[in-house]
Amino acid sequence: VKRAGRHDFRFFTAAMQQRAARHLQLVNALRFALERGQMHVVYQPQVSLKTGRIIGAEALLRWATPELGAVSPAEFIPAAEESGLIIPIGEWVLRQAVRQARLWLDAGLPPLVMAVNLSAIQFRTADLPSHVAQVLYEEGLPPEYLELELTEGVAVQDPPGAIATMNQLHDRGIRMSIDDFGTGFSSLSHLKKFKVYKLKIDQSFVRDISTDTEDKAIVSAIINMARSLGLTTIAEGVETVEQLEFLREQHCDEIQGYHISKPLPPADFERLLG
Ligand code: C2E
Ligand code: CA
Ligand code: CA
Ligand code: CA
């Protein structure tokens, strides 16, 4: 039903204007978010299905301002990326997470791998591998305790460049996983060339895993493919015991999701570990 008259057009531009205004508002506020202490990092446990133990944590960024309240990362991360502010913000998250991992080791808690999300824009900065190595060195964390979560998008623009960066990270002992796996149309040939060691099965496939036969087949295929390539698998967005049981049957290695815990402030995470 196409009735695109003047009225519809105006309505459309009004909505667009509103979005542009919100974007501008976010970017202006994001500029001062760090110096005003409005950001903090929460940590969500990753659990081994073999041992039931917490073996990792994903660092997730949180932002709230007096004017805007809590803003979802799904909204502010894209704004940070478009404005370039993701570079200083991403560096800050990396440092916080690495420092936290070191603090937990020092406290004698069971060792964990700290997973940090990396935007494609950060990934493409020329000095990324040496920057990450520098942060690890300054905070005193051995590289095997860090994992960078990349989306399949990092490889789209410049596959040779992405492979070179991944090789440099790999050579420095820094692990990489592919986030949201299955949503980005990754080719298997890519996976072979990339020095990743883990696939994170996207939560959109996990959601209906107990009822949807197609999603069951997809998840099962990803796990089997990963295994034949020697890659570890983690399923995200696991909310129910039924989902957990299916993943266990399929020999998925690890899970993450509300069934275990929501992302937590450091003190609450320690209680879970201790
Ligand atoms: P993501 O990396 O795929 O992170 C997983 C998201 O799923 C997180 O949302 C997490 O809180 C949520 N989640 C975890 N378990 C469950 C579950 O059982 N059910 C459901 N429905 N959701 C679950 P969050 O924290 O809102 O982050 C959204 C996205 O924002 C992230 O998706 C990531 O792409 C981005 N993001 C968050 N922090 C950072 C960061 O420090 N840097 C970058 N570049 N991106 C970040
Ligand atoms: Ca992630
Ligand atoms: Ca994800
Ligand atoms: Ca995602």
Side-chain angles (χ1 to χ4, degrees), residues 152 181-182 186-189 191-192 196 199 201 217-233 250:
E152 296 170 78
F181 187 78
S186 247
S187 80
L188 295 180
S189 62
L191 274 180
K192 256 174 54 190
V196 301
L199 301 183
I201 303 168
I218 290 169
V219 168
S220 165
I222 292 174
I223 293 169
N224 286 319
M225 178 202 68
R227 148 126 10 113
S228 65
L229 291 168
L231 301 171
T232 300
T233 47
Q250 299 299 314

Side-chain angles (χ1 to χ4, degrees), residues 239-246 259:
E239 296 183 351
T240 69
V241 69
E242 289 80 14
Q243 292 166 337
L244 182 154
E245 288 307 335
F246 176 78
H259 179 67

